[in-house]
Amino acid sequence: MFEVLASDKDFCQEILRVILEDEALIVEEVEVQKEEKNLVGRSVRLDALCILGDGTLCNVEVQRSNNDNNFKRIRYNASCITASETEPGSRFENVPNVIIVYISEFDILKQNKTTYHIDKIVRETGKKIDDGLQTVCVNCKVNDGSRIAKLMQLFKQSEVNEPEFPAFTNRMQYIKHSEGGKREMYGIAERIHLLGVEEGRQEGRQEGRQEGKTEMIQEMLLQDVPINVIAQYAKMDAERILKIQQDMIENGQL
């Protein structure tokens, strides 16, 4: 779902202006599901890589499952972006600035805050070091009454009509209520499923394949896609999809 939302430049610009608290921020370009490789060939697939007006690279990542080391994931993604987007032989002064915006369904630091700014601090002096990497973690779980929290709550809604966030509202209504938006949603859901199957096959893990399919089904259920349509795309019996739907209801996800 986020990939469909983020393919719209106005949507990305609006959410980044709120999260980074910069109303003058300009998004020049957005590339969703961009693949970056490190020097030894292992790749990372980025949810939405934005190029800002000042040349800063801003990667927006959405993480639903808290099943790995999130901060090492952030560090790895930032390093892949830096290495891939830096011209060979460049002076370190010319290494591009990178911002990681990490959106999660869970409270990443469990401190009951919507937003966490992760800075590098000199232990002995308390001085902040600016090395060109900025990390901002936000989550949908905690509503601390801030404007960022108000924005984050929209990600949990199947229908959005919020005048304060017109780009978010327009993009969601397009996806939900236009034929073009529905085609985008179904097409991307199918592609995510196929990517999950292929990655699972390459790694030789049935668990990986099943997890990718389950996440696709959960996302389509959240968007009120009919059961028979989900069954067609997932190539699964409707009864199994109904079981996933019931589990989501019992876990408070629906």
Side-chain angles (χ1 to χ4, degrees):
M1 181 62 180
F2 180 76
E3 181 179 340
V4 186
L5 288 168
S7 61
D8 180 71
K9 186 168 66 174
D10 290 340
F11 167 84
C12 289
Q13 181 168 281
E14 182 173 85
I15 68 168
L16 289 178
R17 283 181 172 183
V18 175
I19 293 170
L20 300 178
E21 300 176 295
D22 180 2
E23 289 301 319
L25 179 148
I26 299 296
V27 172
E28 298 284 0
E29 185 180 335
V30 180
E31 187 168 356
V32 295
Q33 290 295 307
K34 179 177 175 61
E35 186 173 84
E36 300 277 28
K37 290 188 176 181
N38 68 14
L39 296 178
V40 295
R42 179 177 175 178
S43 64
V44 58
R45 188 172 292 111
L46 309 175
D47 287 341
L49 183 63
C50 305
I51 301 176
L52 306 187
D54 63 358
T56 297
L57 302 170
C58 182
N59 179 39
V60 185
E61 287 292 313
V62 175
Q63 184 63 22
R64 301 187 64 180
S65 302
N66 189 14
N67 59 3
D68 205 341
N69 189 312
N70 294 284
F71 291 109
K72 287 190 175 182
R73 182 192 298 270
I74 290 169
R75 190 187 80 181
Y76 181 81
N77 288 359
S79 65
C80 284
I81 294 168
T82 302
S84 179
E85 301 296 330
T86 300
E87 291 292 332
S90 296
R91 292 176 57 84
F92 288 113
E93 180 62 32
N94 298 324
V95 168
N97 291 333
V98 175
I99 302 173
I100 303 293
V101 173
Y102 201 74
I103 301 174
S104 63
E105 287 190 354
F106 49 89
D107 183 356
I108 194 168
L109 287 176
K110 300 180 181 178
Q111 297 298 305
N112 204 35
K113 301 288 184 182
T114 300
T115 307
Y116 300 100
H117 294 85
I118 313 299
D119 297 326
K120 288 185 174 67
I121 302 294
V122 178
R123 185 183 305 173
E124 289 75 14
T125 65
K127 181 179 178 181
K128 178 182 173 181
I129 298 297
D130 181 7
D131 62 358
L133 174 62
Q134 181 180 348
T135 302
V136 183
C137 298
V138 293
N139 68 82
C140 306
K141 182 175 183 179
V142 178
N143 187 347
D144 60 12
S146 64
R147 187 166 184 248
I148 296 176
K150 186 174 183 180
L151 172 68
M152 288 297 100
Q153 294 309 301
L154 300 184
F155 283 99
K156 299 166 65 175
Q157 299 176 16
S158 59
E159 294 286 348
V160 174
N161 186 10
E162 177 50 68
E164 187 174 354
F165 305 112
F168 199 128
T169 297
N170 292 340
R171 186 61 177 163
M172 182 65 86
Q173 291 185 353
Y174 167 77
I175 292 169
K176 296 285 292 186
H177 302 294
S178 75
E179 288 303 316
K182 290 177 182 177
R183 283 196 298 270
E184 281 189 46
M185 184 66 195
Y186 296 159
I188 286 176
E190 175 69 2
R191 182 156 59 84
I192 290 171
H193 166 57
L194 292 175
L195 284 170
V197 169
E198 181 60 26
E199 288 173 356
R201 182 181 297 118
Q202 289 176 356
E203 296 175 10
R205 293 187 291 121
Q206 178 66 29
E207 179 183 349
R209 295 195 294 270
Q210 186 59 41
E211 183 178 348
K213 180 177 286 191
T214 300
E215 287 186 359
M216 179 196 75
I217 292 168
Q218 290 173 334
E219 190 61 61
M220 296 180 83
L221 286 169
L222 285 170
Q223 301 309 316
D224 299 323
V225 178
I227 297 294
N228 64 320
V229 175
I230 299 176
Q232 177 185 350
Y233 276 94
K235 297 179 175 60
M236 183 182 290
D237 293 337
E239 289 77 11
R240 293 178 64 187
I241 295 170
L242 287 169
K243 175 63 168 60
I244 292 173
Q245 182 184 54
Q246 183 60 40
D247 290 342
M248 291 177 69
I249 292 171
E250 292 175 358
N251 292 330
Q253 295 174 280
L254 274 178

